[in-house]
Amino acid sequence: MSNANFKLNAICMAMLVTSTGVYAQQGETSAEQSDLEVINVTGIRSALSKSASIKQDASGVVDAISAEDIGKLPDTNLAESLQRISGVSIDRANNEGNKVTVRGFGPDFNLVTLNGRQMPNSSALQEAGVSRSFNFREIASESVSGVSVFKTGKSHVASGGIGATIDISTAKPFDYDGFKAFASVKGVHDSSVDTGSSITPEVSGMISQTFADGKFGILLSASHAERDSGRDRVGTSSGWVRNRADPDGVDASAIDLSNNPTGAYWVPWTPEIERFDTERERQNAQLVLQFAPNDRIEATLDYTMSRFEETSLTNKQAFWFDNPAGTTDENGTLVNITNVNDELNFWAWERYEKKENDSVGFNLKWQATEALNLAFDIHDSTSHSNPDGQTAETLANLKNPPGSVALIGADFSGEIPSITVDDSGLPGGAYNPDNIVSDLYQLRGYEMENNIKQYQFNGQWDNLEDGALVAINFGAMYTDYQIDTYLSERFSFVDIPLDDLGLTFTPLGDFADQFSGANELFSFLPNYEASRFVDIVEDEGLFLAPDITTNGVNEETTALYVSFDFSTEFNEFPIDLNVGVRYEDTDVRAYSVQPGILALNYRHAEELRPLFDDTATAQELGGGYTRVLPNFDFSMELTGEVKTRFSYSRTLARAGISAMFPSTNIDARPDGPFNASQGNPNLLPITSDNFDFSLEWYHADGSYASVGYFKKFVENFIGAGVEQREINDVNGNPLRDPSVNPRAGCPDSSDTPNPACLSQASDPIVIFDVSTPDNLQNREVDGWELNAQYMFSDTGFGAVANYTLVDSDESFDPYDFDQTIALTGLSDSGNLVGFYENDALQVRVAYNWRDDFLLALGTEPTFTEAYGQWDLSINYEINDTFTVYIDGLNLTDETVRRHGRFAEQLISAEQYGPRYSFGISGKW
């Protein structure tokens, strides 16, 4: 694993910034309604020069990127392009940018809009949950003409982002003069591929034409992309659990009691290795019709769609620490763990995601008078995951007979664990199919439908007379946000014949070879299909269909805004002011449909499963809130080259969707833990008072430096309040634990519940740890954004560098075991970009780095370690029409590592490999 270190002093020659996008873009032209204008440029140098001038003239803190030419964003992925902006970091999935963090605020704290419209989102995998955050992997970069990042609140910009509101712009026929066309054909080579195609195609194109002297226009764009990829992973499942092992088997003498006074220790459930082989297809298309009967009226009708389908097949080798013993390090992590008389587990996993996104919109602009401009916009947009009802995740597990492996163990003191297996007591060993039996299957995942209907009215009055007042902007917005989720779940232990399963084993070879210790893992990976396992279960008559849990949320938000633009002088210094306020009223309704619980069923030594009633009942809860969101932007030109600005705004981010579901969910095991959760639809939004200061020096055309400071006072952070209490069954009686002093014949995994294994009045009452989200704490976040951009005269060379430092008044304390709230995604980040450009050749080398950060905080935390990546892009213009290009991502084969409370508590170590693309594009 490469050591990705990115020190501030390594780029200090470039460090003076507040936040300028690396490439030109769309922006607001007049006051409040549109502070940037779309600038179509060709070439890196020209784009950077335009970006600098836009930054200089913008109101508030607004960054942007744009295509260097039609169909050519700076990177192959939209999120990868966004990370070049100071203060913007990305989360990666399968070595691809998919979600963004802005100024330390993660994906759920940022709002993504498409042409100013809030877009829906859906997910299929249970691990992805229910989220508002947009996934950038679903949109082709070729279809995007620009992206604007509003880091400070604006009264006319839709609320929902504390870190930023990110607006994606797409092309329209009136953006071009007459006929315009573009086409690109690309081959993508992913070095991680083991199965599938080593080179996959990507095709995109656009055609635009205007008619009738520019009164009518039509634009059609489309793209198709395929990608086959692989991933090696070493890690653990279900995290690290505090004090899980029998204390008599734990040597805790090394624990530093000055930091860990209770002598707490942590044990994982499993060590594991797994191989992912993934196939993906994505289609994007947009049809735009525009009509302008005269100079005062412009109508636009558009339809945007995307189709996304991904299948991932996984095989995993693991074992389960049922009775762990071992030695801790000074922090309390069991780094050397053993377990006698156990067995190996051989997993197969199939993930399937299908998403259909559709948006229809209409926009009408009318210049009512010379001074008054009005606009009306409406859209109806839907995102639907797994609409055909296909199961998102299918799991199967095989195992050795219980207790047949004399010893299993793992040493977690290194980068990845060193595995020990003593199977000498099994004739032929643990990997002999004769020593392997069936264990369980599991079906789970979402079908989810998210619909947004949004109506906007905007107006702008320009002052045509003399005076400081430039314009008054006003408007209203109504948003109807509806999401319905259907979660399928089935977990069953089964005993089936394996003769027709097709089980084989593969030596590891170069598996995870970028990590030290890769030669000390398991000997083999299993190979079989989870779907074939389930087929055999059906053939044996043992299949049980998944249970369906239904949840949903409806939010209706009405907003009004007004703002004023002023331009004047103070002691001969030019001053621009924007003062605005936005009023919002939101009503929330959340519902759940689930059957009541009859009892707990002791089905397995590791499972207490709720037994549900046959009749599902609906539960509905409501809430609401009203917020006033002011903003104030001030800028002053100190000289013709130096500018300073100050901005204040109040912004909000709404509560997570799943946090508002009123349903109660139980996760219990014999001997504990006994966990449960329930949502809270009356959660208040998280609000932030934001202050920005910056000083900017525009030295020459395209060259500048700036430094910016921001401070955020954030209220109503949502955390999990845990209450220990009873949970009642459908008859109002507390649930009881049948695994304590079990009756004869229990546990029993039969399809028909054994009455002896169900909760009875003589069993002890279960006290659950019930987690309920609530608005618990306030936080302060501040940071610096430094940026420099320099063009080396007429040499064709140039460089861009930026660095962002982010801090909070309270970071996560690994020795505070009661901490339930911490800001996820908070991390420093930086970029270095160098380029050369002449009339035909463009070469760009980019390095992006992000420091370690808290990824998630549940019962235990998950951290992502520091990561840096080198990318390369080369373009050569054959003539005015055709360009050939090659792009390389993750050139040095960097890896990703995540850990729990301490670095030794490995969660995941992942290796992807470099990815290259090459192609040809044409424009007419």
Side-chain angles (χ1 to χ4, degrees):
M1 177 181 178
S2 300
N3 184 17
N5 290 319
F6 188 94
K7 302 298 184 183
L8 179 59
N9 58 12
I11 56 170
C12 60
M13 59 92 178
M15 292 300 86
L16 288 173
V17 179
T18 180
S19 40
T20 297
V22 185
Y23 298 90
Q25 92 313 250
Q26 173 182 0
E28 300 179 67
T29 54
S30 63
E32 209 46 56
Q33 197 58 30
S34 176
D35 293 27
L36 300 174
E37 66 176 309
V38 174
I39 298 178
N40 293 314
V41 294
T42 59
I44 302 172
R45 190 181 180 92
S46 177
L48 290 172
S49 298
K50 294 295 184 180
S51 178
S53 63
I54 289 172
K55 175 67 180 177
Q56 188 174 10
D57 297 336
S59 170
V61 182
V62 182
D63 293 311
I65 57 174
S66 174
E68 297 164 22
D69 198 354
I70 180 174
K72 183 66 175 76
L73 272 177
D75 294 273
T76 58
N77 172 280
L78 189 54
E80 303 281 351
S81 292
L82 282 168
Q83 72 175 336
R84 311 296 177 194
I85 293 176
S86 60
V88 180
S89 303
I90 65 173
D91 296 336
R92 287 181 169 87
N94 200 23
N95 198 28
E96 184 177 38
N98 65 336
K99 295 183 179 181
V100 299
T101 294
V102 183
R103 291 180 163 182
F105 288 87
D108 288 331
F109 294 94
N110 301 301
L111 177 69
V112 177
T113 60
L114 180 67
N115 297 317
R117 301 162 176 168
Q118 183 178 348
M119 285 293 105
N121 179 57
S122 62
S123 53
L125 302 182
Q126 191 173 29
E127 62 195 38
V130 186
S131 175
R132 300 178 189 269
S133 58
F134 182 80
N135 198 320
F136 286 92
R137 65 177 181 164
E138 295 170 17
I139 186 168
S141 61
E142 293 88 351
S143 65
V144 175
S145 61
V147 184
S148 300
V149 182
F150 296 87
K151 294 180 179 176
T152 54
K154 310 285 286 183
S155 63
H156 73 285
V157 175
S159 67
I162 283 181
T165 297
I166 301 170
D167 185 43
I168 303 170
S169 303
T170 56
K172 300 177 179 62
F174 286 174
D175 294 342
Y176 309 108
D177 184 15
F179 177 78
K180 191 73 172 181
F182 160 82
S184 174
V185 178
K186 180 192 302 184
V188 179
H189 169 65
D190 197 316
S191 63
S192 66
V193 171
D194 276 352
T195 62
S197 301
S198 60
I199 297 178
T200 52
E202 293 188 10
V203 182
S204 61
M206 186 208 77
I207 185 168
S208 177
Q209 178 66 291
T210 57
F211 308 92
D213 296 326
K215 289 184 172 61
F216 181 76
I218 182 171
L219 180 148
L220 176 64
S221 64
S223 66
H224 172 84
E226 299 177 18
R227 182 189 173 199
D228 292 351
S229 60
R231 172 164 50 117
D232 296 339
R233 177 183 175 272
V234 182
T236 57
S237 285
S238 303
W240 290 65
V241 182
R242 180 157 44 108
N243 298 337
R244 183 172 74 84
D246 185 344
D248 293 337
V250 175
D251 178 1
S253 59
I255 294 178
D256 183 353
L257 297 178
S258 64
N259 290 325
N260 183 358
T262 64
Y265 53 87
W266 289 264
V267 185
W269 286 106
T270 68
E272 59 194 24
I273 62 173
E274 56 186 328
R275 171 67 187 177
F276 296 77
D277 292 297
T278 303
E279 296 181 356
R280 186 185 76 189
E281 288 191 10
R282 180 187 66 203
Q283 293 87 31
N284 293 98
Q286 185 174 54
L287 175 66
V288 185
L289 305 175
Q290 287 191 290
F291 177 59
N294 53 51
D295 294 338
R296 292 179 175 272
I297 297 176
E298 180 182 290
T300 303
L301 178 66
D302 58 85
Y303 169 66
T304 304
M305 62 81 73
S306 70
R307 298 292 183 267
F308 179 92
E309 189 168 9
E310 183 174 275
T311 302
S312 182
L313 303 180
T314 304
N315 284 112
K316 177 165 66 176
Q317 181 65 64
F319 52 71
W320 192 271
F321 286 127
D322 292 304
N323 298 290
T327 304
T328 72
D329 63 9
E330 62 180 5
N331 293 319
T333 302
L334 260 73
V335 292
N336 194 347
I337 312 172
T338 60
N339 200 135
V340 298
N341 301 325
D342 216 304
E343 66 268 355
L344 302 189
N345 299 112
F346 313 92
W347 292 87
W349 207 309
E350 297 179 12
R351 296 172 174 87
Y352 175 76
E353 294 181 79
K354 182 178 182 179
K355 295 181 67 172
E356 297 181 354
N357 301 320
D358 297 277
S359 177
V360 177
F362 175 75
N363 181 276
L364 179 65
K365 298 178 181 178
W366 176 38
Q367 184 179 356
T369 69
E370 185 144 355
L372 181 62
N373 289 276
L374 303 175
F376 174 74
D377 189 272
I378 179 175
H379 79 96
D380 187 336
S381 304
T382 300
S383 178
H384 197 170
S385 65
N386 285 21
D388 53 6
Q390 184 168 338
T391 300
E393 297 176 74
T394 303
L395 294 74
N397 183 46
L398 313 176
K399 64 180 182 180
N400 302 123
S404 61
V405 176
L407 179 72
I408 55 177
D411 185 341
F412 284 91
S413 59
E415 194 174 33
I416 56 177
S418 173
I419 302 298
T420 299
V421 176
D422 180 3
D423 58 354
S424 57
L426 273 174
Y431 295 97
N432 186 333
D434 293 337
N435 296 324
I436 295 174
V437 298
S438 64
D439 185 28
L440 62 86
Y441 76 94
Q442 188 173 2
L443 307 174
R444 67 189 190 192
Y446 286 103
E447 178 183 354
M448 190 180 303
E449 186 169 12
N450 184 195
N451 175 260
I452 297 178
K453 296 180 177 67
Q454 197 166 53
Y455 308 84
Q456 300 184 59
F457 168 75
N458 303 296
Q460 178 177 308
W461 176 82
D462 296 320
N463 182 14
L464 304 182
E465 306 296 332
D466 293 334
L469 179 64
V470 175
I472 301 175
N473 310 277
F474 54 92
M477 177 186 292
Y478 171 78
T479 304
D480 185 352
Y481 179 100
Q482 177 71 43
I483 185 167
D484 301 289
T485 70
Y486 309 93
L487 176 61
S488 302
E489 293 180 292
R490 170 59 62 190
F491 183 101
S492 291
F493 292 98
V494 290
D495 182 6
I496 61 171
L498 303 179
D499 298 338
D500 297 330
L501 185 61
L503 173 65
T504 60
F505 289 93
T506 303
L508 295 192
D510 59 358
F511 180 91
D513 60 356
Q514 294 298 304
F515 295 98
S516 59
N519 60 334
E520 298 178 3
L521 297 168
F522 292 94
S523 301
F524 300 97
L525 269 170
N527 284 305
Y528 70 98
E529 296 181 357
S531 57
R532 178 58 189 147
F533 184 98
V534 174
D535 287 343
I536 297 173
V537 171
E538 292 190 79
D539 293 341
E540 294 294 313
L542 301 175
F543 180 79
L544 297 175
D547 295 321
I548 308 295
T549 302
T550 303
N551 293 283
V553 170
N554 176 260
E555 290 177 337
E556 295 185 12
T557 300
T558 302
L560 304 171
Y561 77 86
V562 63
S563 68
F564 303 86
D565 295 316
F566 300 92
S567 184
T568 185
E569 290 186 354
F570 175 75
N571 288 341
E572 299 184 352
F573 294 111
I575 292 175
D576 291 318
L577 294 172
N578 172 262
V579 182
V581 64
R582 184 180 185 91
Y583 167 86
E584 290 202 349
D585 180 74
T586 300
D587 291 322
V588 181
R589 180 184 63 85
Y591 74 91
S592 297
V593 180
Q594 63 178 160
I597 300 175
L598 295 171
L600 293 179
N601 184 8
Y602 184 28
R603 297 189 76 250
H604 190 272
E606 298 170 2
E607 183 187 14
L608 274 177
R609 180 187 297 181
L611 178 66
F612 293 102
D613 193 2
D614 293 333
T615 304
T617 57
Q619 181 181 8
E620 182 175 316
L621 297 173
Y625 49 86
T626 298
R627 290 293 182 270
V628 176
L629 308 173
N631 78 276
F632 173 82
D633 296 315
F634 166 89
S635 64
M636 175 187 292
E637 291 187 17
L638 302 179
T639 71
E641 295 181 342
V642 180
K643 189 170 189 175
T644 186
R645 69 178 80 233
F646 164 76
S647 293
Y648 162 76
S649 64
R650 179 174 295 163
T651 53
L652 66 80
R654 292 181 170 83
I657 296 298
S658 57
M660 295 188 287
F661 295 157
S663 59
T664 298
N665 299 297
I666 290 177
D667 181 12
R669 294 177 180 272
D671 299 323
F674 302 101
N675 296 321
S677 62
Q678 185 176 36
N680 178 9
N682 208 28
L683 288 169
L684 298 175
I686 304 167
T687 58
S688 177
D689 287 303
N690 315 295
F691 296 86
D692 282 80
F693 307 86
S694 67
L695 181 66
E696 303 158 11
W697 176 39
Y698 297 89
H699 173 62
D701 184 27
S703 297
Y704 73 93
S706 64
V707 55
Y709 174 78
F710 62 88
K711 180 83 171 184
K712 294 177 178 289
F713 297 89
V714 187
E715 297 179 341
N716 294 327
F717 262 116
I718 297 172
V722 178
E723 176 187 7
Q724 290 192 330
R725 62 176 174 86
E726 303 168 359
I727 294 178
N728 292 338
D729 61 21
V730 292
N731 298 313
N733 300 314
L735 291 173
R736 296 175 180 269
D737 185 356
S739 69
V740 177
N741 298 319
R743 287 167 283 278
C746 300
D748 186 344
S749 58
S750 302
D751 294 341
T752 301
N754 183 342
C757 301
L758 301 180
S759 301
Q760 296 184 10
S762 60
D763 296 329
I765 295 174
V766 178
I767 303 299
F768 289 89
D769 290 329
V770 182
S771 174
T772 302
D774 204 353
N775 299 102
L776 296 179
Q777 295 186 18
N778 302 332
R779 286 286 184 270
E780 295 179 14
V781 176
D782 68 335
W784 295 85
E785 291 180 340
L786 313 171
N787 201 23
Q789 181 171 295
Y790 190 75
M791 310 293 180
F792 294 91
S793 300
D794 296 325
T795 64
F797 288 96
V800 178
N802 60 55
Y803 195 94
T804 302
L805 301 99
V806 185
D807 198 10
S808 173
D809 62 333
E810 184 174 350
S811 58
F812 182 80
D813 180 358
Y815 295 104
D816 183 355
F817 307 147
D818 297 322
Q819 185 171 358
T820 60
I821 298 178
L823 186 59
T824 58
L826 195 74
S827 65
D828 296 346
S829 61
N831 289 280
L832 283 174
V833 178
F835 67 89
Y836 171 77
E837 179 180 46
N838 61 28
D839 291 340
L841 179 67
Q842 295 179 12
V843 180
R844 183 176 67 97
V845 180
Y847 178 73
N848 173 264
W849 173 86
R850 184 179 185 183
D851 204 358
D852 60 286
F853 63 95
L854 179 65
L855 177 67
L857 178 59
T859 305
E860 289 290 323
T862 299
F863 289 90
T864 297
E865 298 181 3
Y867 179 86
Q869 177 174 305
W870 286 96
D871 301 326
L872 172 68
S873 176
I874 301 175
N875 298 280
Y876 181 75
E877 294 184 8
I878 301 173
N879 51 42
D880 291 341
T881 300
F882 293 104
T883 299
V884 292
Y885 55 89
I886 182 171
D887 298 307
L889 282 78
N890 190 23
L891 298 176
T892 55
D893 195 6
E894 300 299 323
T895 56
V896 175
R897 189 178 188 275
R898 299 184 177 95
H899 63 80
R901 192 171 291 267
F902 304 104
E904 294 77 17
Q905 296 180 7
L906 176 67
I907 299 295
S908 184
E910 300 179 3
Q911 179 176 318
Y912 304 96
R915 187 165 81 251
Y916 305 94
S917 61
F918 50 91
I920 183 170
S921 64
K923 58 181 180 179
W924 296 268

